[in-house]
Amino acid sequence: MDIVIRQERQEDYSKTEDMVKRAFEHAEFSDKKEHFLVQKLRKSDAFIPELSLVAIDEKKEIVGHLLLTSIKIINQEEENASLALAPVSVAPEFQSKGIGSTLIREAIQRARDLGHTSIIVLGHKDYYPKFGFKPANQWNISAPFPVPAEIFMALELIEGSLQHVQGTVVYPKEFME
């Protein structure tokens, strides 16, 4: 299967949202509103167009989407910029074929190329470590809400970039609406 990863374009928005909605229809841990989150994040200050990626199949259909948005890690002394990886979506009929992994690898490389230093994800403890994610509490980075430590993870895009970073992640308000 030939999949092309490219930046999402404005003309893709409604097709992307439809695919995101279908991707989470039967997901166990979902509020079924991820497509609305994508819509809201695109309109926010946290949106980085170069890090909104789609996977396109041979028929030129959108079969996957990934979004990295700006977040902050804040403590009493300082705030540090980071990225949130959410959501990652793959059309149901294309799941378990490596499309999500391909999107994640491409997003990590593009974020690194753009000069970003870290990514935070709330996700499956057995999936994200294969991309280099580790529990964020290793750096004294915490979620703004109660969550098991093993599913709240961070990735250094530049080795040592989180060495002196600690605090609580502050997500854009769109994540909390």
Side-chain angles (χ1 to χ4, degrees), residues 68-106:
L68 286 170
T69 50
S70 296
I71 59 171
K72 291 181 170 84
I73 303 168
I74 297 178
N75 63 38
Q76 286 77 13
E77 287 87 45
E78 62 185 7
E79 65 179 54
N80 291 277
S82 189
L83 297 170
L85 171 56
V88 177
S89 313
V90 177
E93 63 274 23
F94 289 90
Q95 291 175 3
S96 300
K97 297 181 188 239
I99 294 170
S101 293
T102 302
L103 277 164
I104 292 167
R105 283 189 199 93
E106 182 68 21

Short mmCIF file of all heavy atoms in Angstrom, two decimals, residues 68-106:
data_model
loop_
_atom_site.label_atom_id
_atom_site.label_comp_id
_atom_site.label_asym_id
_atom_site.label_seq_id
_atom_site.Cartn_x
_atom_site.Cartn_y
_atom_site.Cartn_z
N LEU A 68 0.00 18.11 15.76
CA LEU A 68 0.88 18.56 16.84
C LEU A 68 0.56 20.03 17.06
O LEU A 68 0.57 20.82 16.11
CB LEU A 68 2.36 18.43 16.45
CG LEU A 68 2.96 17.03 16.44
CD1 LEU A 68 4.34 17.06 15.80
CD2 LEU A 68 3.04 16.47 17.83
N THR A 69 0.27 20.40 18.30
CA THR A 69 -0.05 21.80 18.62
C THR A 69 0.86 22.29 19.74
O THR A 69 1.40 21.51 20.51
CB THR A 69 -1.52 21.96 19.05
OG1 THR A 69 -1.82 20.99 20.05
CG2 THR A 69 -2.46 21.77 17.87
N SER A 70 0.97 23.60 19.83
CA SER A 70 1.81 24.22 20.86
C SER A 70 1.20 24.08 22.25
O SER A 70 -0.01 24.27 22.42
CB SER A 70 1.98 25.71 20.57
OG SER A 70 2.65 25.91 19.37
N ILE A 71 2.04 23.73 23.20
CA ILE A 71 1.66 23.70 24.62
C ILE A 71 2.80 24.31 25.41
O ILE A 71 3.86 24.61 24.86
CB ILE A 71 1.37 22.26 25.12
CG1 ILE A 71 2.60 21.37 24.94
CG2 ILE A 71 0.12 21.69 24.47
CD1 ILE A 71 2.48 20.01 25.60
N LYS A 72 2.57 24.45 26.72
CA LYS A 72 3.61 24.97 27.61
C LYS A 72 3.77 24.01 28.79
O LYS A 72 2.82 23.35 29.20
CB LYS A 72 3.23 26.35 28.13
CG LYS A 72 3.25 27.42 27.06
CD LYS A 72 2.89 28.77 27.66
CE LYS A 72 3.13 29.88 26.69
NZ LYS A 72 2.13 30.16 25.74
N ILE A 73 4.96 23.98 29.31
CA ILE A 73 5.24 23.27 30.56
C ILE A 73 5.64 24.37 31.54
O ILE A 73 6.63 25.08 31.33
CB ILE A 73 6.37 22.24 30.39
CG1 ILE A 73 6.01 21.24 29.29
CG2 ILE A 73 6.64 21.53 31.72
CD1 ILE A 73 7.16 20.36 28.83
N ILE A 74 4.85 24.53 32.60
CA ILE A 74 5.00 25.70 33.48
C ILE A 74 5.24 25.27 34.93
O ILE A 74 4.62 24.33 35.42
CB ILE A 74 3.72 26.58 33.42
CG1 ILE A 74 3.55 27.13 31.99
CG2 ILE A 74 3.77 27.71 34.41
CD1 ILE A 74 2.32 27.98 31.78
N ASN A 75 6.16 25.98 35.59
CA ASN A 75 6.30 25.88 37.04
C ASN A 75 6.39 27.30 37.59
O ASN A 75 6.19 28.27 36.84
CB ASN A 75 7.51 25.01 37.42
CG ASN A 75 8.83 25.59 36.95
OD1 ASN A 75 9.06 26.80 36.97
ND2 ASN A 75 9.73 24.72 36.50
N GLN A 76 6.70 27.46 38.85
CA GLN A 76 6.73 28.80 39.47
C GLN A 76 7.78 29.72 38.84
O GLN A 76 7.60 30.93 38.80
CB GLN A 76 6.99 28.72 40.98
CG GLN A 76 5.83 28.24 41.80
CD GLN A 76 5.63 26.73 41.72
OE1 GLN A 76 6.48 25.98 41.26
NE2 GLN A 76 4.47 26.27 42.17
N GLU A 77 8.87 29.16 38.36
CA GLU A 77 9.97 29.99 37.86
C GLU A 77 9.94 30.27 36.37
O GLU A 77 10.40 31.30 35.91
CB GLU A 77 11.33 29.34 38.18
CG GLU A 77 11.74 29.41 39.64
CD GLU A 77 11.18 28.24 40.45
OE1 GLU A 77 11.27 27.10 39.97
OE2 GLU A 77 10.66 28.49 41.54
N GLU A 78 9.43 29.33 35.58
CA GLU A 78 9.55 29.49 34.13
C GLU A 78 8.48 28.72 33.37
O GLU A 78 7.78 27.89 33.93
CB GLU A 78 10.93 29.02 33.66
CG GLU A 78 11.19 27.56 33.94
CD GLU A 78 12.60 27.11 33.58
OE1 GLU A 78 13.44 27.96 33.24
OE2 GLU A 78 12.85 25.90 33.65
N GLU A 79 8.42 29.04 32.08
CA GLU A 79 7.59 28.24 31.19
C GLU A 79 8.42 27.85 29.98
O GLU A 79 9.27 28.60 29.53
CB GLU A 79 6.31 28.96 30.79
CG GLU A 79 6.44 30.19 29.96
CD GLU A 79 5.08 30.80 29.61
OE1 GLU A 79 4.28 31.06 30.52
OE2 GLU A 79 4.86 31.00 28.41
N ASN A 80 8.19 26.62 29.51
CA ASN A 80 8.92 26.08 28.38
C ASN A 80 7.93 25.63 27.31
O ASN A 80 6.89 25.06 27.62
CB ASN A 80 9.77 24.88 28.81
CG ASN A 80 10.91 25.30 29.71
OD1 ASN A 80 11.94 25.71 29.23
ND2 ASN A 80 10.71 25.22 31.02
N ALA A 81 8.28 25.87 26.07
CA ALA A 81 7.43 25.47 24.95
C ALA A 81 7.61 23.98 24.68
O ALA A 81 8.70 23.42 24.83
CB ALA A 81 7.80 26.28 23.72
N SER A 82 6.53 23.35 24.27
CA SER A 82 6.56 21.96 23.85
C SER A 82 5.42 21.78 22.84
O SER A 82 4.76 22.75 22.46
CB SER A 82 6.38 21.02 25.06
OG SER A 82 6.60 19.67 24.68
N LEU A 83 5.20 20.55 22.43
CA LEU A 83 4.13 20.22 21.51
C LEU A 83 3.27 19.11 22.11
O LEU A 83 3.79 18.24 22.81
CB LEU A 83 4.69 19.72 20.17
CG LEU A 83 5.54 20.69 19.36
CD1 LEU A 83 6.22 19.95 18.21
CD2 LEU A 83 4.69 21.83 18.84
N ALA A 84 1.98 19.14 21.79
CA ALA A 84 1.08 18.06 22.17
C ALA A 84 0.78 17.24 20.92
O ALA A 84 0.45 17.80 19.87
CB ALA A 84 -0.23 18.61 22.74
N LEU A 85 0.88 15.93 21.04
CA LEU A 85 0.54 15.02 19.97
C LEU A 85 -0.88 14.53 20.23
O LEU A 85 -1.09 13.71 21.12
CB LEU A 85 1.52 13.85 19.92
CG LEU A 85 1.21 12.67 19.00
CD1 LEU A 85 1.00 13.13 17.57
CD2 LEU A 85 2.31 11.65 19.09
N ALA A 86 -1.84 15.08 19.50
CA ALA A 86 -3.24 14.67 19.68
C ALA A 86 -4.14 15.43 18.73
O ALA A 86 -3.97 16.64 18.58
CB ALA A 86 -3.70 14.93 21.11
N PRO A 87 -5.07 14.78 18.14
CA PRO A 87 -5.20 13.32 18.07
C PRO A 87 -4.42 12.73 16.90
O PRO A 87 -4.03 13.44 15.99
CB PRO A 87 -6.70 13.13 17.86
CG PRO A 87 -7.15 14.33 17.09
CD PRO A 87 -6.25 15.46 17.56
N VAL A 88 -4.24 11.41 16.96
CA VAL A 88 -3.73 10.63 15.84
C VAL A 88 -4.92 9.78 15.39
O VAL A 88 -5.51 9.07 16.20
CB VAL A 88 -2.56 9.70 16.25
CG1 VAL A 88 -2.11 8.86 15.08
CG2 VAL A 88 -1.42 10.51 16.83
N SER A 89 -5.27 9.88 14.12
CA SER A 89 -6.47 9.21 13.62
C SER A 89 -6.16 8.44 12.35
O SER A 89 -5.48 8.95 11.46
CB SER A 89 -7.54 10.25 13.28
OG SER A 89 -7.69 11.20 14.30
N VAL A 90 -6.70 7.23 12.27
CA VAL A 90 -6.59 6.43 11.05
C VAL A 90 -7.97 5.85 10.77
O VAL A 90 -8.64 5.33 11.68
CB VAL A 90 -5.55 5.29 11.21
CG1 VAL A 90 -5.50 4.42 9.96
CG2 VAL A 90 -4.16 5.88 11.49
N ALA A 91 -8.41 5.95 9.52
CA ALA A 91 -9.71 5.41 9.12
C ALA A 91 -9.81 3.94 9.54
O ALA A 91 -8.83 3.20 9.41
CB ALA A 91 -9.90 5.56 7.62
N PRO A 92 -10.98 3.52 10.05
CA PRO A 92 -11.11 2.15 10.58
C PRO A 92 -10.60 1.06 9.64
O PRO A 92 -9.91 0.15 10.06
CB PRO A 92 -12.61 2.01 10.83
CG PRO A 92 -13.09 3.41 11.02
CD PRO A 92 -12.23 4.27 10.15
N GLU A 93 -10.90 1.17 8.36
CA GLU A 93 -10.51 0.12 7.41
C GLU A 93 -9.02 0.13 7.11
O GLU A 93 -8.50 -0.79 6.45
CB GLU A 93 -11.34 0.23 6.12
CG GLU A 93 -11.14 1.51 5.33
CD GLU A 93 -12.03 2.68 5.77
OE1 GLU A 93 -12.51 2.72 6.92
OE2 GLU A 93 -12.21 3.58 4.94
N PHE A 94 -8.29 1.13 7.60
CA PHE A 94 -6.85 1.23 7.37
C PHE A 94 -6.04 1.07 8.66
O PHE A 94 -4.82 1.18 8.64
CB PHE A 94 -6.50 2.57 6.70
CG PHE A 94 -6.94 2.64 5.27
CD1 PHE A 94 -8.20 3.12 4.95
CD2 PHE A 94 -6.11 2.22 4.24
CE1 PHE A 94 -8.62 3.18 3.62
CE2 PHE A 94 -6.51 2.28 2.93
CZ PHE A 94 -7.78 2.76 2.61
N GLN A 95 -6.71 0.81 9.78
CA GLN A 95 -6.00 0.67 11.04
C GLN A 95 -5.18 -0.62 11.06
O GLN A 95 -5.48 -1.57 10.35
CB GLN A 95 -6.99 0.73 12.21
CG GLN A 95 -7.58 2.11 12.36
CD GLN A 95 -8.66 2.23 13.43
OE1 GLN A 95 -8.98 1.28 14.12
NE2 GLN A 95 -9.24 3.41 13.54
N SER A 96 -4.14 -0.62 11.86
CA SER A 96 -3.22 -1.76 12.02
C SER A 96 -2.45 -2.08 10.74
O SER A 96 -2.10 -3.23 10.49
CB SER A 96 -3.99 -3.00 12.50
OG SER A 96 -4.60 -2.73 13.74
N LYS A 97 -2.21 -1.06 9.93
CA LYS A 97 -1.42 -1.24 8.70
C LYS A 97 -0.19 -0.35 8.69
O LYS A 97 0.45 -0.18 7.66
CB LYS A 97 -2.29 -0.94 7.48
CG LYS A 97 -3.45 -1.90 7.34
CD LYS A 97 -4.29 -1.61 6.12
CE LYS A 97 -5.52 -2.48 6.16
NZ LYS A 97 -5.71 -3.35 5.08
N GLY A 98 0.13 0.27 9.84
CA GLY A 98 1.34 1.07 9.94
C GLY A 98 1.16 2.54 9.58
O GLY A 98 2.14 3.29 9.59
N ILE A 99 -0.05 2.96 9.27
CA ILE A 99 -0.28 4.36 8.86
C ILE A 99 -0.08 5.31 10.04
O ILE A 99 0.57 6.35 9.89
CB ILE A 99 -1.67 4.52 8.22
CG1 ILE A 99 -1.70 3.73 6.91
CG2 ILE A 99 -2.00 6.00 7.98
CD1 ILE A 99 -3.06 3.59 6.28
N GLY A 100 -0.59 4.95 11.20
CA GLY A 100 -0.40 5.79 12.39
C GLY A 100 1.08 5.94 12.71
O GLY A 100 1.56 7.04 12.98
N SER A 101 1.82 4.85 12.65
CA SER A 101 3.27 4.88 12.91
C SER A 101 3.99 5.77 11.90
O SER A 101 4.89 6.54 12.26
CB SER A 101 3.86 3.47 12.86
OG SER A 101 3.37 2.69 13.92
N THR A 102 3.60 5.65 10.65
CA THR A 102 4.23 6.47 9.60
C THR A 102 3.95 7.95 9.85
O THR A 102 4.85 8.79 9.73
CB THR A 102 3.72 6.04 8.21
OG1 THR A 102 4.02 4.66 8.02
CG2 THR A 102 4.35 6.85 7.10
N LEU A 103 2.72 8.28 10.22
CA LEU A 103 2.36 9.67 10.54
C LEU A 103 3.19 10.18 11.71
O LEU A 103 3.71 11.30 11.67
CB LEU A 103 0.88 9.77 10.88
CG LEU A 103 -0.10 9.90 9.72
CD1 LEU A 103 -1.52 9.60 10.19
CD2 LEU A 103 -0.03 11.29 9.10
N ILE A 104 3.31 9.38 12.76
CA ILE A 104 4.03 9.80 13.96
C ILE A 104 5.51 10.02 13.64
O ILE A 104 6.08 11.04 14.03
CB ILE A 104 3.85 8.77 15.11
CG1 ILE A 104 2.39 8.81 15.59
CG2 ILE A 104 4.82 9.06 16.26
CD1 ILE A 104 2.01 7.66 16.50
N ARG A 105 6.13 9.10 12.93
CA ARG A 105 7.55 9.26 12.58
C ARG A 105 7.77 10.53 11.76
O ARG A 105 8.72 11.28 11.98
CB ARG A 105 8.06 8.04 11.83
CG ARG A 105 8.34 6.87 12.74
CD ARG A 105 9.06 5.73 12.02
NE ARG A 105 8.90 4.52 12.79
CZ ARG A 105 7.93 3.62 12.61
NH1 ARG A 105 7.05 3.76 11.66
NH2 ARG A 105 7.86 2.56 13.38
N GLU A 106 6.89 10.77 10.79
CA GLU A 106 7.01 11.96 9.95
C GLU A 106 6.81 13.23 10.78
O GLU A 106 7.53 14.21 10.61
CB GLU A 106 6.01 11.89 8.80
CG GLU A 106 6.08 13.05 7.84
CD GLU A 106 7.37 13.11 7.02
OE1 GLU A 106 8.06 12.08 6.87
OE2 GLU A 106 7.69 14.21 6.51
#
